Amino acid sequence: MQLRPLDPRSRPSAGLSPALVPAVSRALTLLERLAQQREPMSLARLASELELPKSSVHGLCNTLLRFGYLHRQDDGAFRIGPGVMPLAEAFVAGTGITQEFNALWLDAEPDETIILSVLNGPDVVYIAARNGRRPLGLAFNVGMRLPAHLAATGKAMLAFQPADAVRSRFGSAALAPMNGRGPKHVADLLAELKQIHERGYSIDDESVRAGVYCFGAPVFDAAAQPVAGLGVCLNKAMLGDDAGARHRDAVLCAARTLTQRLGGRQPHSERG
């Protein structure tokens, strides 16, 4: 089974998909906007950002509320509701890569936190996680999103995509940092991705969370395309004298194993 990144920008254009239902498209766009913002949004703000009449957005929100896909706060703002969780769980349950990921640690509880993510636009979405026995101060949960240009798993996947695809994914706006770190522009990101591509693994050195250090490696499909990112996260103070080499080697080995179990193959061509 080939798992494709969930990238809204990769959807067919209206000209190629004449059967698209406008109301459904607007509802999904509304949900995606809330997911991207990671904060509650008022009806007026949603209408403004979606460039839709308030009456239309009001109807969309009421419908999504009825089915549990939205939740309305006491101040009237909307956020993603619990109704999306069964959809996420069904997706994860039916995804072979998550089953293979969990099988790697079926009989062992890892010391460090092990994570698996896929790309979704400019973010990564975590589809599996095994939180380790050692305290990290950051819990990874299924469905959690982080900026792909900061997350180790995101950078591991991006490094094996064409440069034009990376530019298209992030656009021309400045890249937002977390914890005061990370590339500020796409040009900076591309320079880092080139290094990652050459060595085969990525590093998040406290870009997401102070004190948290992560190694990431890509998982490939049969076309040698990155379909997921595997990562190991640990407290930076626990890197040890080998600068975390044992963790780096472990995540590379696990990523190769997942690639093989999916019938994938490592790429041999250079990144464009």
Side-chain angles (χ1 to χ4, degrees):
M1 176 179 178
Q2 293 185 11
L3 177 62
R4 296 296 182 189
L6 306 177
D7 186 354
R9 295 176 176 82
S10 66
R11 294 189 183 119
S13 66
L16 297 177
S17 301
L20 289 179
V21 179
V24 176
S25 297
R26 288 193 290 268
L28 293 175
T29 300
L30 188 152
L31 288 172
E32 288 175 346
R33 183 57 56 92
L34 281 169
Q36 291 166 1
Q37 292 297 323
R38 302 188 186 89
E39 64 181 11
M41 298 175 67
S42 67
L43 179 67
R45 182 179 171 190
L46 282 167
S48 174
E49 294 200 9
L50 297 177
E51 298 182 347
L52 292 172
K54 283 187 180 180
S55 58
S56 297
V57 176
H58 184 265
L60 290 173
C61 288
N62 280 341
T63 303
L64 293 170
L65 279 169
R66 173 65 178 80
F67 285 90
Y69 296 136
L70 286 186
H71 174 81
R72 182 159 46 200
Q73 300 186 152
D74 292 341
D75 62 1
F78 296 96
R79 59 179 173 83
I80 297 294
V84 303
M85 291 308 298
L87 299 179
E89 290 166 0
F91 167 75
V92 170
T95 301
I97 193 170
T98 60
Q99 297 167 2
E100 295 294 349
F101 170 88
N102 289 324
L104 290 178
W105 289 278
L106 187 62
D107 300 318
E109 182 181 0
D111 289 332
E112 312 299 347
T113 295
I114 312 295
I115 50 181
L116 185 72
S117 76
V118 294
L119 288 168
N120 182 207
D123 296 335
V124 292
V125 178
Y126 293 93
I127 60 173
R130 295 294 296 269
N131 288 298
R133 290 179 290 188
R134 293 191 178 122
L136 188 61
L138 174 64
F140 289 90
N141 301 303
V142 171
M144 177 179 174
R145 304 172 71 97
L146 283 174
H149 67 282
L150 298 177
T153 56
K155 291 189 289 186
M157 289 181 277
L158 292 171
F160 289 85
Q161 291 194 342
D164 286 345
V166 175
R167 293 188 189 97
S168 176
R169 187 179 295 274
F170 292 99
S172 58
L175 301 176
M178 290 178 67
N179 195 38
R181 299 193 177 196
K184 295 179 176 155
H185 302 283
V186 172
D188 302 326
L189 174 62
L190 288 172
E192 182 178 357
L193 295 180
K194 183 178 180 181
Q195 295 177 344
I196 294 169
H197 184 272
E198 291 172 352
R199 69 188 182 215
Y201 66 92
S202 61
I203 293 173
D204 163 24
D205 185 358
E206 300 185 285
S207 294
V208 170
R209 181 73 173 263
V212 176
Y213 195 98
C214 301
F215 291 99
V219 178
F220 299 99
D221 64 10
Q225 296 298 309
V227 291
L230 184 72
V232 58
C233 300
L234 61 150
N235 190 305
K236 188 174 181 179
M238 302 296 294
L239 278 175
D241 294 337
D242 64 353
R246 65 193 184 283
H247 300 296
R248 175 203 65 207
D249 293 344
V251 79
L252 284 168
C253 179
R256 285 194 294 267
T257 299
L258 275 180
T259 295
Q260 292 168 359
R261 291 188 179 184
L262 291 173
R265 63 184 178 87
Q266 300 289 128
H268 299 291
S269 60
E270 290 301 315
R271 180 170 169 272

mmCIF file of all heavy atoms in Angstrom, residues 228-249:
data_model
loop_
_atom_site.group_PDB
_atom_site.id
_atom_site.type_symbol
_atom_site.label_atom_id
_atom_site.label_comp_id
_atom_site.label_asym_id
_atom_site.label_seq_id
_atom_site.Cartn_x
_atom_site.Cartn_y
_atom_site.Cartn_z
ATOM 1 N N ALA A 228 6.576 8.969 4.492
ATOM 2 C CA ALA A 228 6.453 9.186 5.929
ATOM 3 C C ALA A 228 7.822 9.552 6.481
ATOM 4 O O ALA A 228 8.848 9.348 5.829
ATOM 5 C CB ALA A 228 5.906 7.938 6.639
ATOM 6 N N GLY A 229 7.801 10.108 7.678
ATOM 7 C CA GLY A 229 9.037 10.433 8.367
ATOM 8 C C GLY A 229 9.042 9.741 9.723
ATOM 9 O O GLY A 229 8.048 9.778 10.450
ATOM 10 N N LEU A 230 10.140 9.090 10.031
ATOM 11 C CA LEU A 230 10.305 8.402 11.315
ATOM 12 C C LEU A 230 11.280 9.198 12.159
ATOM 13 O O LEU A 230 12.301 9.675 11.647
ATOM 14 C CB LEU A 230 10.837 6.988 11.077
ATOM 15 C CG LEU A 230 10.995 6.085 12.304
ATOM 16 C CD1 LEU A 230 9.632 5.651 12.811
ATOM 17 C CD2 LEU A 230 11.837 4.868 11.941
ATOM 18 N N GLY A 231 10.972 9.373 13.430
ATOM 19 C CA GLY A 231 11.848 10.168 14.282
ATOM 20 C C GLY A 231 12.025 9.581 15.664
ATOM 21 O O GLY A 231 11.172 8.837 16.154
ATOM 22 N N VAL A 232 13.143 9.909 16.278
ATOM 23 C CA VAL A 232 13.382 9.588 17.683
ATOM 24 C C VAL A 232 13.681 10.894 18.395
ATOM 25 O O VAL A 232 14.500 11.697 17.923
ATOM 26 C CB VAL A 232 14.528 8.572 17.859
ATOM 27 C CG1 VAL A 232 15.828 9.075 17.246
ATOM 28 C CG2 VAL A 232 14.740 8.249 19.347
ATOM 29 N N CYS A 233 12.989 11.144 19.480
ATOM 30 C CA CYS A 233 13.137 12.396 20.228
ATOM 31 C C CYS A 233 13.601 12.094 21.647
ATOM 32 O O CYS A 233 13.084 11.181 22.295
ATOM 33 C CB CYS A 233 11.805 13.153 20.273
ATOM 34 S SG CYS A 233 11.164 13.584 18.642
ATOM 35 N N LEU A 234 14.543 12.885 22.133
ATOM 36 C CA LEU A 234 15.088 12.676 23.458
ATOM 37 C C LEU A 234 15.463 13.998 24.093
ATOM 38 O O LEU A 234 15.560 15.027 23.409
ATOM 39 C CB LEU A 234 16.310 11.764 23.398
ATOM 40 C CG LEU A 234 17.512 12.256 22.579
ATOM 41 C CD1 LEU A 234 18.813 11.704 23.167
ATOM 42 C CD2 LEU A 234 17.390 11.808 21.121
ATOM 43 N N ASN A 235 15.654 13.956 25.369
ATOM 44 C CA ASN A 235 16.144 15.127 26.073
ATOM 45 C C ASN A 235 17.574 15.391 25.619
ATOM 46 O O ASN A 235 18.412 14.480 25.617
ATOM 47 C CB ASN A 235 16.101 14.874 27.590
ATOM 48 C CG ASN A 235 16.372 16.125 28.385
ATOM 49 O OD1 ASN A 235 17.397 16.776 28.199
ATOM 50 N ND2 ASN A 235 15.467 16.459 29.281
ATOM 51 N N LYS A 236 17.874 16.612 25.218
ATOM 52 C CA LYS A 236 19.194 16.921 24.669
ATOM 53 C C LYS A 236 20.301 16.585 25.646
ATOM 54 O O LYS A 236 21.409 16.206 25.241
ATOM 55 C CB LYS A 236 19.258 18.397 24.276
ATOM 56 C CG LYS A 236 20.528 18.758 23.518
ATOM 57 C CD LYS A 236 20.492 20.197 23.008
ATOM 58 C CE LYS A 236 21.755 20.531 22.240
ATOM 59 N NZ LYS A 236 21.746 21.913 21.704
ATOM 60 N N ALA A 237 20.014 16.671 26.932
ATOM 61 C CA ALA A 237 21.023 16.355 27.948
ATOM 62 C C ALA A 237 21.412 14.880 27.926
ATOM 63 O O ALA A 237 22.429 14.495 28.504
ATOM 64 C CB ALA A 237 20.505 16.742 29.329
ATOM 65 N N MET A 238 20.594 14.036 27.248
ATOM 66 C CA MET A 238 20.856 12.601 27.203
ATOM 67 C C MET A 238 21.568 12.164 25.932
ATOM 68 O O MET A 238 21.683 10.973 25.662
ATOM 69 C CB MET A 238 19.526 11.841 27.328
ATOM 70 C CG MET A 238 18.729 12.147 28.589
ATOM 71 S SD MET A 238 19.591 11.632 30.085
ATOM 72 C CE MET A 238 19.586 9.858 29.886
ATOM 73 N N LEU A 239 22.059 13.123 25.138
ATOM 74 C CA LEU A 239 22.728 12.757 23.885
ATOM 75 C C LEU A 239 23.945 11.871 24.122
ATOM 76 O O LEU A 239 24.211 10.937 23.376
ATOM 77 C CB LEU A 239 23.150 14.022 23.130
ATOM 78 C CG LEU A 239 22.074 14.711 22.301
ATOM 79 C CD1 LEU A 239 22.612 16.011 21.717
ATOM 80 C CD2 LEU A 239 21.575 13.802 21.185
ATOM 81 N N GLY A 240 24.701 12.145 25.145
ATOM 82 C CA GLY A 240 25.856 11.322 25.479
ATOM 83 C C GLY A 240 27.119 11.704 24.733
ATOM 84 O O GLY A 240 27.136 12.628 23.915
ATOM 85 N N ASP A 241 28.179 10.959 24.996
ATOM 86 C CA ASP A 241 29.495 11.264 24.425
ATOM 87 C C ASP A 241 29.543 11.062 22.916
ATOM 88 O O ASP A 241 30.397 11.638 22.237
ATOM 89 C CB ASP A 241 30.569 10.389 25.082
ATOM 90 C CG ASP A 241 30.747 10.711 26.570
ATOM 91 O OD1 ASP A 241 30.393 11.845 26.970
ATOM 92 O OD2 ASP A 241 31.207 9.825 27.310
ATOM 93 N N ASP A 242 28.639 10.224 22.392
ATOM 94 C CA ASP A 242 28.653 9.977 20.951
ATOM 95 C C ASP A 242 27.762 10.955 20.192
ATOM 96 O O ASP A 242 27.501 10.761 18.995
ATOM 97 C CB ASP A 242 28.214 8.537 20.654
ATOM 98 C CG ASP A 242 26.769 8.270 21.060
ATOM 99 O OD1 ASP A 242 26.138 9.157 21.693
ATOM 100 O OD2 ASP A 242 26.265 7.170 20.752
ATOM 101 N N ALA A 243 27.305 12.023 20.866
ATOM 102 C CA ALA A 243 26.451 13.051 20.249
ATOM 103 C C ALA A 243 25.169 12.464 19.667
ATOM 104 O O ALA A 243 24.633 12.956 18.688
ATOM 105 C CB ALA A 243 27.213 13.823 19.177
ATOM 106 N N GLY A 244 24.710 11.382 20.290
ATOM 107 C CA GLY A 244 23.454 10.776 19.863
ATOM 108 C C GLY A 244 23.586 9.840 18.677
ATOM 109 O O GLY A 244 22.570 9.465 18.074
ATOM 110 N N ALA A 245 24.809 9.415 18.338
ATOM 111 C CA ALA A 245 25.019 8.576 17.150
ATOM 112 C C ALA A 245 24.205 7.288 17.213
ATOM 113 O O ALA A 245 23.689 6.810 16.193
ATOM 114 C CB ALA A 245 26.507 8.256 16.988
ATOM 115 N N ARG A 246 24.074 6.703 18.405
ATOM 116 C CA ARG A 246 23.319 5.450 18.520
ATOM 117 C C ARG A 246 21.843 5.674 18.195
ATOM 118 O O ARG A 246 21.192 4.805 17.599
ATOM 119 C CB ARG A 246 23.492 4.858 19.919
ATOM 120 C CG ARG A 246 22.915 5.701 21.043
ATOM 121 C CD ARG A 246 23.406 5.191 22.390
ATOM 122 N NE ARG A 246 22.807 5.914 23.518
ATOM 123 C CZ ARG A 246 23.176 7.123 23.917
ATOM 124 N NH1 ARG A 246 24.137 7.772 23.250
ATOM 125 N NH2 ARG A 246 22.606 7.692 24.954
ATOM 126 N N HIS A 247 21.316 6.849 18.569
ATOM 127 C CA HIS A 247 19.922 7.157 18.244
ATOM 128 C C HIS A 247 19.759 7.422 16.750
ATOM 129 O O HIS A 247 18.771 7.012 16.135
ATOM 130 C CB HIS A 247 19.460 8.364 19.054
ATOM 131 C CG HIS A 247 19.541 8.166 20.531
ATOM 132 N ND1 HIS A 247 18.795 7.230 21.192
ATOM 133 C CD2 HIS A 247 20.290 8.784 21.478
ATOM 134 C CE1 HIS A 247 19.065 7.276 22.492
ATOM 135 N NE2 HIS A 247 19.973 8.210 22.687
ATOM 136 N N ARG A 248 20.730 8.126 16.174
ATOM 137 C CA ARG A 248 20.710 8.381 14.732
ATOM 138 C C ARG A 248 20.720 7.069 13.967
ATOM 139 O O ARG A 248 19.917 6.867 13.039
ATOM 140 C CB ARG A 248 21.924 9.222 14.355
ATOM 141 C CG ARG A 248 22.089 9.460 12.853
ATOM 142 C CD ARG A 248 23.532 9.779 12.529
ATOM 143 N NE ARG A 248 24.414 8.643 12.805
ATOM 144 C CZ ARG A 248 25.700 8.751 13.113
ATOM 145 N NH1 ARG A 248 26.285 9.936 13.203
ATOM 146 N NH2 ARG A 248 26.422 7.661 13.337
ATOM 147 N N ASP A 249 21.615 6.152 14.346
ATOM 148 C CA ASP A 249 21.720 4.879 13.651
ATOM 149 C C ASP A 249 20.446 4.058 13.829
ATOM 150 O O ASP A 249 20.004 3.365 12.901
ATOM 151 C CB ASP A 249 22.925 4.096 14.159
ATOM 152 C CG ASP A 249 24.256 4.761 13.803
ATOM 153 O OD1 ASP A 249 24.252 5.643 12.920
ATOM 154 O OD2 ASP A 249 25.276 4.397 14.419
#
